[in-house]
Amino acid sequence: MKVAVILGTSRGDGNTRKLVDEFSVFSDAKVFDLADYDMSFYDYEHHNKGDDFLPLMRELVAFDHIVYATPLYWYSMSAQLKVFFDRISDLLTIEKDLGREFKGKSASMLATGHNENYPDCFVKPIELATEYLKMEFKGIGYASVQADNDLMTLSKVAIQSFETITRGEFSY
Ligand SMILES: Cc1cc2nc3c(=O)[nH]c(=O)nc-3n(C[C@H](O)[C@H](O)[C@H](O)COP(=O)(O)O)c2cc1C
């Protein structure tokens, strides 16, 4: 099963990236860091349809499972990932056929934050958007990081996430 990670963080070598890197060791996932893509806010008139969003979505169609990786920023997903989700509206308007190709796939979240626990409002938008696209939401792996680069914690969560999120369904 092919796994893609969409990473949205303000720190390319930060905690969330390290969690993703650990996860990738087990899942053999391909990581797409949104910082590498030119992607502007949703535009009702689609003047931005020539930016990197649609080519990225065409590449993602080849994967079975998408992991959304984000730090907890003010109880929410990162702004980078929110822009990505807003742009999914392009798949409901100008690229409906491409949007339908995500039906039947699955998705999950990987996240880091300082607090011990994350609020429900952090997960819900991604869970509901996943279900809107007729994809199965498999859950979240969350690392509470008290000190940057706590590789022990990140690696433990990466392993647990791989096992619980995937429920043994991935072969690699
Ligand atoms: C702008 C900003 C907002 C944050 N908000 C929260 C928050 O609401 N809850 C929390 O537990 N941690 C919060 N944190 C801490 C980060 O979630 C935590 O340090 C995370 O591991 C950073 O990941 P990164 O290195 O990928 O940016 C915040 C950090 C920043 C920079």
Side-chain angles (χ1 to χ4, degrees), residues 34-40 50-53 87:
L34 291 175
D36 298 333
Y37 293 81
D38 169 31
M39 200 175 288
S40 57
D51 73 8
D52 291 340
F53 175 73
R87 289 297 298 277

PDB file of all heavy atoms in Angstrom, residues 34-40 50-53 87:
ATOM      1  N   LEU A  34       4.751  21.033   2.072  1.00  0.00           N
ATOM      2  CA  LEU A  34       4.037  22.115   1.387  1.00  0.00           C
ATOM      3  C   LEU A  34       4.919  23.354   1.182  1.00  0.00           C
ATOM      4  O   LEU A  34       4.633  24.172   0.309  1.00  0.00           O
ATOM      5  CB  LEU A  34       2.762  22.478   2.162  1.00  0.00           C
ATOM      6  CG  LEU A  34       1.672  21.386   2.134  1.00  0.00           C
ATOM      7  CD1 LEU A  34       0.492  21.773   3.031  1.00  0.00           C
ATOM      8  CD2 LEU A  34       1.181  21.117   0.714  1.00  0.00           C
ATOM      9  N   ALA A  35       5.991  23.455   1.979  1.00  0.00           N
ATOM     10  CA  ALA A  35       6.906  24.593   1.808  1.00  0.00           C
ATOM     11  C   ALA A  35       7.593  24.562   0.440  1.00  0.00           C
ATOM     12  O   ALA A  35       8.075  25.587  -0.041  1.00  0.00           O
ATOM     13  CB  ALA A  35       7.958  24.583   2.911  1.00  0.00           C
ATOM     14  N   ASP A  36       7.620  23.404  -0.174  1.00  0.00           N
ATOM     15  CA  ASP A  36       8.269  23.265  -1.486  1.00  0.00           C
ATOM     16  C   ASP A  36       7.325  23.597  -2.632  1.00  0.00           C
ATOM     17  O   ASP A  36       7.704  23.486  -3.801  1.00  0.00           O
ATOM     18  CB  ASP A  36       8.784  21.832  -1.677  1.00  0.00           C
ATOM     19  CG  ASP A  36       9.836  21.465  -0.651  1.00  0.00           C
ATOM     20  OD1 ASP A  36      10.527  22.377  -0.163  1.00  0.00           O
ATOM     21  OD2 ASP A  36       9.954  20.264  -0.327  1.00  0.00           O
ATOM     22  N   TYR A  37       6.078  23.943  -2.308  1.00  0.00           N
ATOM     23  CA  TYR A  37       5.068  24.142  -3.348  1.00  0.00           C
ATOM     24  C   TYR A  37       4.557  25.573  -3.333  1.00  0.00           C
ATOM     25  O   TYR A  37       4.345  26.165  -2.276  1.00  0.00           O
ATOM     26  CB  TYR A  37       3.901  23.156  -3.154  1.00  0.00           C
ATOM     27  CG  TYR A  37       4.343  21.730  -3.386  1.00  0.00           C
ATOM     28  CD1 TYR A  37       4.990  21.016  -2.386  1.00  0.00           C
ATOM     29  CD2 TYR A  37       4.175  21.127  -4.636  1.00  0.00           C
ATOM     30  CE1 TYR A  37       5.452  19.727  -2.601  1.00  0.00           C
ATOM     31  CE2 TYR A  37       4.630  19.838  -4.867  1.00  0.00           C
ATOM     32  CZ  TYR A  37       5.265  19.141  -3.848  1.00  0.00           C
ATOM     33  OH  TYR A  37       5.735  17.872  -4.073  1.00  0.00           O
ATOM     34  N   ASP A  38       4.328  26.082  -4.525  1.00  0.00           N
ATOM     35  CA  ASP A  38       3.749  27.413  -4.680  1.00  0.00           C
ATOM     36  C   ASP A  38       2.228  27.235  -4.715  1.00  0.00           C
ATOM     37  O   ASP A  38       1.671  26.722  -5.693  1.00  0.00           O
ATOM     38  CB  ASP A  38       4.262  28.022  -5.999  1.00  0.00           C
ATOM     39  CG  ASP A  38       3.501  29.282  -6.372  1.00  0.00           C
ATOM     40  OD1 ASP A  38       3.054  29.997  -5.461  1.00  0.00           O
ATOM     41  OD2 ASP A  38       3.351  29.530  -7.585  1.00  0.00           O
ATOM     42  N   MET A  39       1.584  27.586  -3.618  1.00  0.00           N
ATOM     43  CA  MET A  39       0.142  27.302  -3.480  1.00  0.00           C
ATOM     44  C   MET A  39      -0.512  28.497  -2.784  1.00  0.00           C
ATOM     45  O   MET A  39      -0.212  28.782  -1.629  1.00  0.00           O
ATOM     46  CB  MET A  39       0.011  26.062  -2.593  1.00  0.00           C
ATOM     47  CG  MET A  39      -1.286  25.347  -2.715  1.00  0.00           C
ATOM     48  SD  MET A  39      -1.184  23.844  -1.719  1.00  0.00           S
ATOM     49  CE  MET A  39      -0.080  22.849  -2.713  1.00  0.00           C
ATOM     50  N   SER A  40      -1.379  29.204  -3.495  1.00  0.00           N
ATOM     51  CA  SER A  40      -1.974  30.394  -2.874  1.00  0.00           C
ATOM     52  C   SER A  40      -3.351  30.074  -2.298  1.00  0.00           C
ATOM     53  O   SER A  40      -3.904  28.995  -2.523  1.00  0.00           O
ATOM     54  CB  SER A  40      -2.048  31.543  -3.878  1.00  0.00           C
ATOM     55  OG  SER A  40      -2.778  31.169  -5.011  1.00  0.00           O
ATOM     56  N   GLY A  50      -3.085  27.632 -12.154  1.00  0.00           N
ATOM     57  CA  GLY A  50      -1.788  27.243 -12.729  1.00  0.00           C
ATOM     58  C   GLY A  50      -0.695  27.086 -11.687  1.00  0.00           C
ATOM     59  O   GLY A  50       0.455  26.803 -12.043  1.00  0.00           O
ATOM     60  N   ASP A  51      -1.022  27.215 -10.404  1.00  0.00           N
ATOM     61  CA  ASP A  51       0.046  27.032  -9.406  1.00  0.00           C
ATOM     62  C   ASP A  51       0.249  25.547  -9.116  1.00  0.00           C
ATOM     63  O   ASP A  51      -0.219  24.677  -9.865  1.00  0.00           O
ATOM     64  CB  ASP A  51      -0.210  27.903  -8.147  1.00  0.00           C
ATOM     65  CG  ASP A  51      -1.352  27.398  -7.255  1.00  0.00           C
ATOM     66  OD1 ASP A  51      -1.874  26.284  -7.501  1.00  0.00           O
ATOM     67  OD2 ASP A  51      -1.738  28.119  -6.316  1.00  0.00           O
ATOM     68  N   ASP A  52       0.925  25.220  -8.032  1.00  0.00           N
ATOM     69  CA  ASP A  52       1.344  23.825  -7.814  1.00  0.00           C
ATOM     70  C   ASP A  52       0.270  22.922  -7.214  1.00  0.00           C
ATOM     71  O   ASP A  52       0.508  21.724  -7.042  1.00  0.00           O
ATOM     72  CB  ASP A  52       2.565  23.795  -6.871  1.00  0.00           C
ATOM     73  CG  ASP A  52       3.809  24.373  -7.530  1.00  0.00           C
ATOM     74  OD1 ASP A  52       3.835  24.441  -8.775  1.00  0.00           O
ATOM     75  OD2 ASP A  52       4.749  24.742  -6.793  1.00  0.00           O
ATOM     76  N   PHE A  53      -0.916  23.469  -6.875  1.00  0.00           N
ATOM     77  CA  PHE A  53      -1.895  22.625  -6.181  1.00  0.00           C
ATOM     78  C   PHE A  53      -2.397  21.459  -7.051  1.00  0.00           C
ATOM     79  O   PHE A  53      -2.341  20.294  -6.621  1.00  0.00           O
ATOM     80  CB  PHE A  53      -3.092  23.454  -5.692  1.00  0.00           C
ATOM     81  CG  PHE A  53      -4.158  22.585  -5.079  1.00  0.00           C
ATOM     82  CD1 PHE A  53      -3.965  22.014  -3.829  1.00  0.00           C
ATOM     83  CD2 PHE A  53      -5.331  22.290  -5.763  1.00  0.00           C
ATOM     84  CE1 PHE A  53      -4.922  21.168  -3.272  1.00  0.00           C
ATOM     85  CE2 PHE A  53      -6.299  21.450  -5.209  1.00  0.00           C
ATOM     86  CZ  PHE A  53      -6.087  20.890  -3.962  1.00  0.00           C
ATOM     87  N   ARG A  87      -7.930  24.665  -0.723  1.00  0.00           N
ATOM     88  CA  ARG A  87      -7.768  24.454  -2.160  1.00  0.00           C
ATOM     89  C   ARG A  87      -8.453  23.168  -2.639  1.00  0.00           C
ATOM     90  O   ARG A  87      -8.734  23.018  -3.840  1.00  0.00           O
ATOM     91  CB  ARG A  87      -6.281  24.454  -2.542  1.00  0.00           C
ATOM     92  CG  ARG A  87      -5.634  25.818  -2.454  1.00  0.00           C
ATOM     93  CD  ARG A  87      -6.247  26.826  -3.423  1.00  0.00           C
ATOM     94  NE  ARG A  87      -6.083  26.438  -4.808  1.00  0.00           N
ATOM     95  CZ  ARG A  87      -4.991  26.669  -5.532  1.00  0.00           C
ATOM     96  NH1 ARG A  87      -3.960  27.307  -4.996  1.00  0.00           N
ATOM     97  NH2 ARG A  87      -4.932  26.287  -6.799  1.00  0.00           N
TER      98      ARG A  87
END
